[in-house]
Amino acid sequence: VGGGPIDVVGAGKADLHALSEPCQVGECDSFFSHSWHDDGQQKWEALSGWCEQFKQQYQRSPRLWLDKVCIDQQNTQADLQCLPIFLAACNLLLVISGPTQTSRLWCCVELFVYVQMTQEDPTAEAPVVITIAANDAEHARVRNGYRHFDAESCECFNQEDKTRIFAVIAGYPGGV
């Protein structure tokens, strides 16, 4: 994408949703979870590496669910209500986690929903988490973000979303 945001350069200037292809449940290899606030080049390198390993193992490129492409940006509220369905339709949750992943509420919601859906399914795969960072100290900070996670400190672009999400999560064992 020439180093710019996907919705600003190349084909992304048009409707990104038009670039997506519908698929049946189980046909999407991975739900790709990441923070748009983390380093794009590091994410690209990690994702490219994961995709190459997938291609070597399965002799084809993976089908990925990517939010900016798979969620109709003209109708985000309706599509976000389908997040559990999108996650359930994918065979794996791939998390490329940089320094901001555990501070972004929607990123954490994706992980929460996946864990809730799969915790009683012995065939479900654990999420694949790849950490990205500029150096060893930053990698340690990324890992510590999970060890010392606090949902209350997560940021969310829309405060109404945060209130609604916390109300839902509060109904689960352990709550927020």
Side-chain angles (χ1 to χ4, degrees):
V1 296
I6 192 171
D7 55 352
V8 176
V9 299
K13 291 179 186 176
D15 176 19
L16 289 173
H17 191 256
L19 300 174
S20 67
E21 294 179 14
C23 64
Q24 299 297 314
V25 171
E27 289 181 353
C28 187
D29 298 303
S30 181
F31 185 103
F32 174 41
S33 178
H34 67 103
S35 168
W36 286 100
H37 298 267
D38 286 334
D39 183 271
Q41 186 62 40
Q42 291 174 354
K43 285 190 293 186
W44 176 250
E45 289 169 8
L47 179 59
S48 295
W50 183 85
C51 288
E52 278 302 316
Q53 287 178 332
F54 183 97
K55 193 172 185 176
Q56 288 176 2
Q57 183 174 352
Y58 297 102
Q59 307 307 307
R60 64 176 178 82
S61 296
R63 291 184 86 165
L64 300 173
W65 190 96
L66 174 63
D67 54 359
K68 286 271 190 173
V69 176
C70 297
I71 290 178
D72 181 355
Q73 298 300 302
Q74 307 306 314
N75 196 11
T76 56
Q77 283 307 105
D79 274 5
L80 286 174
Q81 291 177 14
C82 296
L83 184 65
I85 296 166
F86 297 144
L87 275 159
C90 296
N91 298 326
L92 175 73
L93 174 61
L94 171 63
V95 180
I96 297 187
S97 183
T100 70
Q101 181 83 11
T102 57
S103 70
R104 306 301 307 167
L105 185 59
W106 277 108
C107 296
C108 298
V109 166
E110 292 166 354
L111 190 56
F112 172 80
V113 169
Y114 187 81
V115 168
Q116 290 300 317
M117 290 185 331
T118 60
Q119 68 183 352
E120 294 186 22
D121 179 359
T123 64
E125 291 190 46
V128 172
V129 179
I130 301 170
T131 61
I132 55 170
N135 54 49
D136 289 343
E138 196 171 278
H139 272 289
R141 282 196 305 279
V142 171
R143 289 188 300 273
N144 280 332
Y146 286 94
R147 287 186 190 105
H148 304 289
F149 175 73
D150 178 10
E152 296 281 348
S153 66
C154 284
E155 299 171 22
C156 188
F157 180 75
N158 183 332
Q159 185 58 41
E160 290 176 15
D161 284 349
K162 187 171 184 174
T163 301
R164 192 176 74 250
I165 289 166
F166 275 24
V168 171
I169 294 173
Y172 284 84
V176 176

